[in-house]
Amino acid sequence: MKGHVLLIEDESCLAQIMDLELSEAGYEVTTVNNGTTGLRQTQFLKPDVLLLDWGLPGMSGLDVCETLRSQGNQVPIIFITSRAEEDGKAEALRAGASDYVMKPFSLDELLSKMEQILGAIAPATPSTAAA
């Protein structure tokens, strides 16, 4: 397993496709469809990476991100959103997001960003620490 992904996405069709594709790519995936549940599950499950839609019912993705960061939670967050404005991307990054992917996006792009983020936070193993 490459890591545990918490996917917070309210578009059920997209969430199902992403869940399947990420699972096939070797990730354990938990999917929820609103911000409030997503925040609770992030705190409970302690995922390796959070894929977060901006426009969610209950609590926006931006509010989820800001709440997690205010609590000291540093889980990597990749926003997946259709918000095309540069201001939105800048706002997400200022709120503590690790990266930002525009819908529609390619799975390869998302997987590359996830691998880059997860690789950057992977603990050093004895063999790599000595190299």
Side-chain angles (χ1 to χ4, degrees), residues 18-72:
M18 288 181 66
D19 190 310
L20 177 65
E21 295 289 339
L22 291 168
S23 295
E24 287 180 359
Y27 292 93
E28 177 185 352
V29 182
T30 301
T31 303
V32 298
N33 65 2
N34 70 72
T36 306
T37 303
L39 179 61
R40 203 170 28 247
Q41 289 298 315
T42 302
Q43 295 163 332
F44 176 72
L45 296 173
K46 310 234 184 296
D48 297 304
V49 66
L50 183 64
L51 301 180
L52 181 59
D53 186 19
W54 189 300
L56 295 167
M59 181 180 209
S60 77
L62 188 65
D63 289 340
V64 170
C65 182
E66 289 174 336
T67 300
L68 288 170
R69 295 305 187 237
S70 73
Q71 296 171 345

Side-chain angles (χ1 to χ4, degrees), residues 11 24 26-27 67 77 84 92 107 113-115:
E11 293 178 40
E24 287 180 359
Y27 292 93
T67 300
I77 297 172
L107 182 63
K113 289 177 182 270
M114 290 172 58
E115 289 166 6

Side-chain angles (χ1 to χ4, degrees), residues 123-131:
T125 60
S127 62
T128 59

